[in-house]
Amino acid sequence: MGLLLQDMRYGWRMLRCQPGFTFVAVLTLALGIGANTAIFSVVNAVLLRPLPYPEANRLVRLSEHHEEIATRWVSYPNFLDWQARSRSFEVMATIRGLQMTMTGSGDAQAINARQVTADYFRVMRAEPLLGRGFSVAEDRFGAPRVAVLSYNFWQSQFGGDAAVIGQHLTLDNELFNIIGVMPAEFQHQGPPALWVLTEQMAAPAGPWFQRDSRTAGFVIARLNPGVSLEQARAEMKSVEEELIREHPMTNGGNTIRMVTLQESIVGDTGSQLLLLLAAVAFVLLIACANVANLLLARAATRQKEFAIRAALGAGRRRVLRQLLTESLLLALAGGALGLLLAFWGVDLLVRFAPDELPRMAGVVIGWRMLVFTILLALLTGVIFGLAPAWQGTRADLQQTLKEGGYSVSDARGGRLRNAFVVAEVALAVILLIGAGLLIKSLTRMFAADPGFDARNVVTMDVLPRQAYPGRPQLKEFYSQLLERVGGLPGVESVCVVNQLPGFEPGWQTDINPEINGEYQTINPGELINVDWDIVTAGYFQTMRVPLKQGRDFTPQEVRDGAPVMLVDEHLAQQFWPAGDAIGKHIKYDSRTPIEIIGVAANVRNYGSEMMGRIKIYAPFGRMPLPRATLAVRSTGVDPLTLAEAIKDEVRAINPNVPVTEVALLESDLARLLAPRRFNTWLLGLFAAVALLLAAVGIYSVMSYTVTQRTREIGIRMALGAQTPDVLRLLIGQGLRLILSGLLIGALASVVLTRWLRSLLFGVSATDPRTFAMAAVLLVAVALVACYLPARRATKVDPMIALRYE
C-alpha cells in the first residue's frame, strides 16, 4: 500500500509538470467517458430497467401477423380460443384504446379510455388504491356497466374524494358504476382516464364476435412460472395451426406474434439506442488510442529516466507499475470530468428528446451509473496505458545512456504509434459512413413525396356518438358540419375521414377484385388485405391527393353511401395494369359489388419505413362514424387560428359534441419522425467528435515525428532539399497511414452497415456516394492535420538542426 501511494504521489507530480499534456489527455478521455456514460444512462433506463410491474419479465404481448401487415389487432374469437387452448399462460387479457364522451357535468368531454377484458389487472398484478378491479361475471353483454378510474382522473374530476366508489359516470349515454381507483404509479399504454370492460361494450351480433374482424386490440399475458418465452411460442404455434385448419378462410396465412412486453414498448428504439451505444464506444476507443499515442511519445522522452532508474536497481515491473499508475490517474481524472459532462449531457438528452421516445422520464445518473463510470475509467486506464508502459520499459540500458544514441524502442514505439493512428482512422471512417447513411436516409425521408400535402391543414377529432346514436342523425350532423365549416373565411376545403393520411393504417379489410369479368377466387391464406379509408367529398382536395384517373365522390354519393369507391395506383396497377380500372368492381365488406370510379395517387405512411400500402376509399355515408377526424385546409390565414371558429360551429350545431386533439397535420406527422431525427443527429455528433479526435491523433503523431526527425530534416535541407520536398516527404508518410486506416474502415463498414438496413430509407447500406464522401472528408481533415506539423518542419534552420542533440 505504501508503494502504491508513493507511485501515485510521484505520478501526480509528473502530470503536474506537464500541464498541457495532462489537460489534453484528461479532456480527450472525458469526452469519451462522458458520452458513454450519458448514452448508457439512456440505454439502462429504456432497455435494461425492468418495467414497474411485479415479475415484469413474465409479461408478454401477443398480436396477429400477416404477410401484408406486420402487426395487427387480434380477432376477439381468436383471443377466446387462445385463452381456452393455451397452457403456457397464467392469465391473459385484451387491451385497446377507446374514446368516450362524458356528459352530466357541464360541457361534454372527450375521455381517453382503455377497453379491456376482466383479467387485465390480474395480468399486470395491479391492485386498486380504492375499491376493486373487474370480475369475470361483469364482462358480459347486458351486465351493469362498471368503470375503474385512473388516479389522475380521480383527482381532476372528483378532487380525490374517497367516497367516489359507488358513484356514477355518464359515458356515451350509458351509466357506469365506479368500482375502483388505480394508484398513481400504475401506467401502461399511456395515461388513460379510466378502464371499461370489453363484452359490456360489444353486441353479440356485432363485429366483435366475427372472426374476420380484428377489433380486440392487443393481448397481454403473463407466463406461468417456469415457462420460457420459446416454450410459449411453440405452444401458440400449435394453436395457430389448429385455428388455420378449423377456420381457413379467416385464419389462413395468419400467424401469432409474441414478444416481451418490454420489447413491445421499446419497439425500434432499442436497435437505435444500441447503435448509439456502439458509436460512443468507438469514440472512446479513438480517445484511448489518442491518449496512448500521447503516452508513447511521452515515454520516448523519458527513456533516460527509465534507464537511470534501472541502473539504480529498479526492476522492470517496478517501472511498469509506475507508468500504469500514471495512466490510471489520468483515467480517473478523465472519468471525474466525464461524469460531470455526463450529468450535463443527460440533462440535454432528456430536455431535447422527443416525447415519442419511450421511458425517457426515467433517465437519471444514479449509483449504477457512478459504478459504470468508475469501472469504465479504470478499464480505459488499462487499455491506453498498457501498451505505452510496456513499450517504455523495453529500452536498452547501455544504448539509452549513450548521448544521442538510437534506441531500438524508438522504432518499435513508432510502429505502435502508427498502428494506433490507423486504428483511429478506421474507427472514424466507420462512424462517418454510418452517420452519413442515416443522415442521407433521413433527408430522403423528408424529401420523399408522401402522396399528399400536409401543409396548412388543421385537424381535430369530433365525437358525436353520444348526441347522435343513429346513422341518419350522424349523416345529418356531418352534412351540417361540412357546410358550416366550409363557409368560414379562410377555409379552402374541408373533409371528414376515419384516418388521416401518413399515419399507421387504421382500418384494414380483405377484398375480392373483378378480373376479366369474374371475381378473383380467394383461397385460404391468400386474402388481399388493404387499408380502408372512409372519406367525405372534398377529401382529395383537402389532402391534395392527386386523382390519376376518374373522378371524386359527389356530395350525394357521400350522403347516400353509394356503392362506389376509389382505389390507389398500387391496387389499380396490380389488378388492371392496362389502365382500365375505372368501371371495374370490388367486393369487400359485403358481397355487393362496389364500382371503381377513380384512381388516386399512392399515399405513404409517415412512419419509420415511409412504406406505401394498398388503399381503397369509400364514401362516408356508407359507414357514418360516431368518432371521426375533421380536416380543414386554410388559405391566407394560419390554420390554427381557425380552430376556435370551427369549435363554435360544432357547438352551434350541438353543444354536447366534444371536439378534441386540435393539431396541425404537418406537426403531427413531423413528430412521427422525431425519434429517428434525434438519434441520427446524435450519431452525426459522435461521428464529428470521432473525426476531430482522429485529426488530433494524426496531428500529434506527425508533430512527434517532426521532432524526432529534426536533425534528418536539417541535413536534407542543408543538402538542397526544398520546402515542397520536405512537405511531400512528411505528408506522404502521414497519407500512407490515413489510406491504410481508410481501407480497413471501408471494408469493415461494408460488413457493419448491414445492421443499418432496417433503419435506412431510399439508401443502400453500401451507398458508394456516402462511402466516397466520408473518405474525402476524412482525407481532407487528415491532410490538414499532417500539413500543419510538416509546414512547421520546413521552418527549421539547418544549422540549428545539425547541432540537435
Side-chain angles (χ1 to χ4, degrees):
M1 189 65 181
L3 287 176
L4 177 60
L5 292 176
Q6 180 182 345
D7 287 344
M8 292 178 68
R9 286 194 296 269
Y10 180 77
W12 178 245
R13 287 198 301 270
M14 292 299 295
L15 294 177
R16 282 195 307 171
C17 289
Q18 295 179 303
F21 161 82
T22 304
F23 173 78
V24 172
V26 169
L27 182 60
T28 300
L29 290 172
L31 286 173
I33 293 174
N36 274 267
T37 302
I39 296 300
F40 187 77
S41 298
V42 176
V43 171
N44 177 66
V46 176
L47 302 183
L48 305 180
R49 180 168 54 97
L51 296 174
Y53 314 117
E55 297 183 276
N57 61 312
R58 289 168 52 196
L59 291 173
V60 297
R61 192 190 79 168
L62 297 92
S63 59
E64 294 191 331
H65 172 89
H66 195 274
E67 62 182 8
E68 295 168 340
I69 303 178
T71 302
R72 60 179 174 179
W73 281 5
V74 175
S75 159
Y76 191 64
N78 281 348
F79 161 72
L80 294 177
D81 283 333
W82 295 359
Q83 197 176 38
R85 303 185 189 193
S86 62
R87 298 292 178 268
S88 297
F89 305 102
E90 180 181 305
V91 64
M92 185 182 286
T94 66
I95 179 171
R96 56 164 286 180
L98 177 69
Q99 274 201 318
M100 309 182 77
T101 303
M102 184 177 73
T103 53
S105 56
D107 292 341
Q109 298 180 50
I111 299 298
N112 286 318
R114 295 291 181 270
Q115 192 171 357
V116 300
T117 46
D119 289 326
Y120 171 69
F121 293 119
R122 284 185 58 210
V123 173
M124 306 305 293
R125 294 270 181 90
E127 293 295 330
L129 178 68
L130 296 176
R132 63 177 178 85
F134 299 121
S135 69
V136 174
E138 290 169 325
D139 197 8
R140 294 289 182 270
F141 180 73
R145 302 202 173 194
V146 293
V148 175
L149 307 185
S150 69
Y151 182 88
N152 290 340
F153 186 75
W154 173 53
Q155 290 291 327
S156 62
Q157 294 295 319
F158 296 93
D161 182 7
V164 70
I165 305 301
Q167 295 187 36
H168 290 81
L169 285 173
T170 302
L171 303 171
D172 290 350
N173 281 339
E174 297 282 349
L175 279 180
F176 283 75
N177 181 34
I178 299 171
I179 63 172
V181 177
M182 297 307 294
E185 59 272 15
F186 180 71
Q187 297 283 338
H188 176 225
Q189 289 200 345
L194 48 85
W195 292 264
V196 295
L197 284 168
T198 292
E199 290 198 24
Q200 286 189 354
M201 312 283 290
W208 273 85
F209 292 92
Q210 296 172 8
R211 197 171 291 271
D212 61 349
S213 178
R214 289 169 172 81
T215 55
F218 296 113
V219 173
I220 308 295
R222 180 174 288 274
L223 294 170
N224 274 317
V227 175
S228 69
L229 188 65
E230 290 308 315
Q231 288 172 326
R233 282 174 174 160
E235 184 192 44
M236 293 307 292
K237 182 67 177 176
S238 299
V239 172
E240 166 196 308
E241 291 169 352
E242 290 176 10
L243 293 177
I244 290 175
R245 287 194 298 270
E246 295 170 15
H247 310 282
M249 290 302 296
T250 57
N251 284 54
N254 198 56
T255 58
I256 300 171
R257 185 171 185 264
M258 184 192 309
V259 297
T260 64
L261 184 59
Q262 181 148 350
E263 184 180 346
S264 72
I265 291 172
V266 171
D268 292 338
T269 304
S271 58
Q272 295 178 26
L273 286 179
L274 293 177
L275 176 64
L276 289 177
L277 191 60
V280 293
F282 279 14
V283 170
L284 182 60
L285 288 175
I286 294 173
C288 288
N290 253 348
V291 177
N293 261 335
L294 291 172
L295 287 174
L296 277 171
R298 183 168 175 265
T301 63
R302 297 173 66 185
Q303 290 291 312
K304 289 185 179 178
E305 173 198 340
F306 301 148
I308 292 172
R309 293 184 69 175
L312 295 175
R316 186 180 183 186
R317 292 180 59 185
R318 181 72 179 83
V319 177
L320 185 65
R321 188 176 64 192
Q322 174 63 50
L323 292 178
L324 282 176
T325 301
E326 293 177 16
S327 299
L328 289 174
L329 284 174
L330 278 176
L332 291 174
L337 181 58
L339 188 60
L340 293 177
L341 293 177
F343 274 105
W344 176 69
V346 164
D347 183 62
L348 288 179
L349 286 174
V350 174
R351 184 181 305 174
F352 293 105
D355 295 336
E356 288 72 15
L357 281 176
R359 311 190 73 196
M360 285 296 288
V363 178
V364 293
I365 294 185
W367 66 268
R368 290 183 179 178
M369 293 304 100
L370 294 176
V371 172
F372 172 80
T373 303
I374 293 171
L375 293 177
L376 188 62
L378 293 175
L379 179 63
T380 53
V382 172
I383 290 174
F384 71 72
L386 189 59
W390 183 262
Q391 188 63 40
T393 58
R394 295 182 67 186
D396 182 271
L397 178 61
Q398 298 295 326
Q399 189 73 17
T400 303
L401 289 175
K402 294 178 182 178
E403 185 70 24
Y406 176 78
S407 173
V408 176
S409 66
D410 289 339
R412 292 171 179 163
R415 288 194 293 270
L416 194 55
R417 284 190 293 274
N418 292 343
F420 280 138
V421 169
V422 171
E424 286 183 61
V425 172
L427 292 171
V429 167
I430 295 172
L431 279 182
L432 282 173
I433 290 174
L437 288 173
L438 290 177
I439 291 173
K440 190 171 184 178
S441 173
L442 187 67
T443 303
R444 291 197 173 179
M445 274 189 179
F446 283 109
D449 180 13
F452 63 97
D453 185 359
R455 294 170 297 179
N456 298 319
V457 176
V458 63
T459 65
M460 57 196 73
D461 289 347
V462 182
L463 291 87
R465 77 167 84 215
Q466 180 252 341
Y468 302 99
R471 283 196 172 192
Q473 297 95 327
L474 279 171
K475 288 183 180 181
E476 182 60 27
F477 166 77
Y478 285 119
S479 178
Q480 290 184 48
L481 179 62
L482 291 171
E483 183 179 353
R484 295 178 74 115
V485 173
L488 291 174
V491 172
E492 177 182 318
S493 59
V494 60
C495 69
V496 174
V497 62
N498 68 312
Q499 177 76 9
L500 290 168
F503 292 89
E504 291 299 318
W507 293 7
Q508 295 91 38
T509 189
D510 297 316
I511 63 170
N512 189 359
E514 175 192 0
I515 301 176
N516 298 325
E518 296 183 358
Y519 291 95
Q520 179 172 318
T521 302
I522 300 178
N523 299 315
E526 296 180 359
L527 298 179
I528 304 162
N529 195 272
V530 298
D531 291 346
W532 181 17
D533 285 359
I534 313 295
V535 304
T536 62
Y539 171 82
F540 298 99
Q541 180 184 358
T542 302
M543 296 304 168
R544 291 188 178 169
V545 177
L547 293 183
K548 300 298 185 178
Q549 295 181 48
R551 62 175 177 85
D552 194 355
F553 300 118
T554 66
Q556 188 65 40
E557 288 171 335
V558 170
R559 188 177 301 111
D560 297 341
V564 293
M565 67 186 304
L566 280 85
V567 301
D568 69 359
E569 289 181 283
H570 282 310
L571 192 148
Q573 291 171 2
Q574 181 174 347
F575 297 108
W576 302 284
D580 55 346
I582 304 300
K584 296 296 190 296
H585 294 78
I586 284 177
K587 295 178 181 179
Y588 59 103
D589 64 329
S590 70
R591 295 297 91 190
T592 303
I594 310 297
E595 182 184 358
I596 298 173
I597 61 170
V599 176
N602 296 328
V603 171
R604 293 182 180 273
N605 295 331
Y606 235 72
S608 59
E609 302 301 328
M610 286 286 287
M611 297 297 292
R613 283 178 39 79
I614 298 176
K615 190 180 286 288
I616 64 173
Y617 302 91
F620 200 83
R622 186 172 179 82
M623 188 176 289
L625 303 174
R627 172 193 176 277
T629 299
L630 178 71
V632 180
R633 177 173 291 279
S634 68
T635 177
V637 297
D638 181 353
L640 278 178
T641 61
L642 295 172
E644 283 306 315
I646 295 170
K647 289 181 179 179
D648 288 341
E649 295 299 331
V650 175
R651 282 190 287 266
I653 300 172
N654 191 325
N656 291 322
V657 175
V659 176
T660 184
E661 306 294 336
V662 178
L664 290 174
L665 178 58
E666 189 175 22
S667 300
D668 274 353
L669 292 172
R671 279 195 289 272
L672 293 178
L673 290 177
R676 178 182 287 268
R677 182 170 57 243
F678 179 74
N679 292 331
T680 298
W681 291 119
L682 270 182
L683 183 61
L685 174 63
F686 296 144
V689 172
L691 181 62
L692 176 63
L693 290 176
V696 171
I698 294 168
Y699 176 84
S700 63
V701 167
M702 292 304 300
S703 293
Y704 181 77
T705 299
V706 167
T707 302
Q708 293 297 99
R709 300 179 68 177
T710 300
R711 188 177 183 185
E712 174 196 341
I713 293 169
I715 293 173
R716 287 177 178 273
M717 295 184 71
L719 294 175
Q722 301 298 311
T723 296
D725 300 320
V726 175
L727 288 175
R728 189 162 47 250
L729 173 69
L730 295 176
I731 292 177
Q733 178 185 345
L735 194 58
R736 283 193 293 273
L737 300 178
I738 296 164
L739 294 178
S740 299
L742 188 61
L743 179 61
I744 294 171
L747 292 175
S749 296
V750 171
V751 177
L752 295 177
T753 52
R754 293 178 181 176
W755 300 100
L756 296 179
R757 284 178 179 171
S758 62
L759 303 176
L760 299 178
F761 170 77
V763 181
S764 166
T766 54
D767 179 53
R769 289 189 178 183
T770 303
F771 275 62
M773 288 179 64
V776 169
L777 177 60
L778 191 139
V779 169
V781 172
L783 284 176
V784 173
C786 291
Y787 175 79
L788 294 177
R791 181 66 181 175
R792 190 175 67 247
T794 63
K795 306 297 183 182
V796 172
D797 187 328
M799 298 306 297
I800 297 175
L802 290 173
R803 293 198 299 268
Y804 182 72
E805 292 190 348

